[in-house]
Amino acid sequence: MIAPTPPTRAPYYVGNEDHGWPLEDCASGLISTLAGWVREPYEFRGHANGRIWRQRVDKTSARLLFVSDQGDGHIDLSIDPSFWVRAELFVVGELKFRAWIDEPYEEKDLWPDGSDGVTPPNGDPPGRISKRGRWLQLRRAEFGLPPAESIFWDVADIWS
């Protein structure tokens, strides 16, 4: 895995764009939102089936724990000096992938290390989380995930 390399553009946050809030405050708010969705255990299904919950959260970081049929682990969220939110997924202690998250509108966008962070016209970013945190979708190739029948790796709330 390469050293953490955020996208080359600055992150977009709806709070900064609409209200002029400092990027650090926007990134902190995004971590709070992401961790808040799993304040209580949250069951998911899809390319992995399991449960995720918040272990801890503070102003600049959070740790989410999960158990799944693909292995147990955790997700570390933190604010990078670039003001991107860094998400690192560990399964059985091994870093599986890293994503960079921003919030240009209701959905959250995810980008792999070193990407340009530019969404193609009439396209979607390589990863997305729904506005209420009910589903997550990643394009396998961009995030270095193993190929499969679907070009996407995704999970959703069991109630979705």
Side-chain angles (χ1 to χ4, degrees), residues 31-121:
I31 287 175
S32 179
T33 296
L34 296 170
W37 286 336
V38 293
R39 179 177 23 255
E40 300 296 325
Y42 180 102
E43 307 243 354
F44 58 88
R45 66 173 179 219
H47 287 101
N49 300 294
R51 178 181 288 215
I52 187 168
W53 64 95
R54 178 177 75 192
Q55 179 187 31
R56 66 163 177 76
V57 64
D58 60 41
K59 185 175 169 78
T60 62
S61 67
R63 176 167 280 186
L64 313 177
L65 302 178
F66 64 87
V67 294
S68 82
D69 59 356
Q70 303 297 309
D72 301 343
H74 66 276
I75 300 169
D76 285 335
L77 303 171
S78 61
I79 300 175
D80 186 75
S82 65
F83 301 116
W84 279 90
V85 171
R86 178 172 48 207
E88 294 178 314
L89 176 100
F90 294 84
V91 177
V92 192
E94 180 184 347
L95 178 62
K96 293 296 186 179
F97 77 87
R98 181 181 301 116
W100 300 90
I101 310 173
D102 66 350
E103 186 178 29
Y105 43 86
E106 293 174 331
E107 286 184 1
K108 289 38 170 167
D109 292 352
L110 289 86
W111 302 91
D113 271 323
S115 66
D116 62 8
V118 177
T119 303

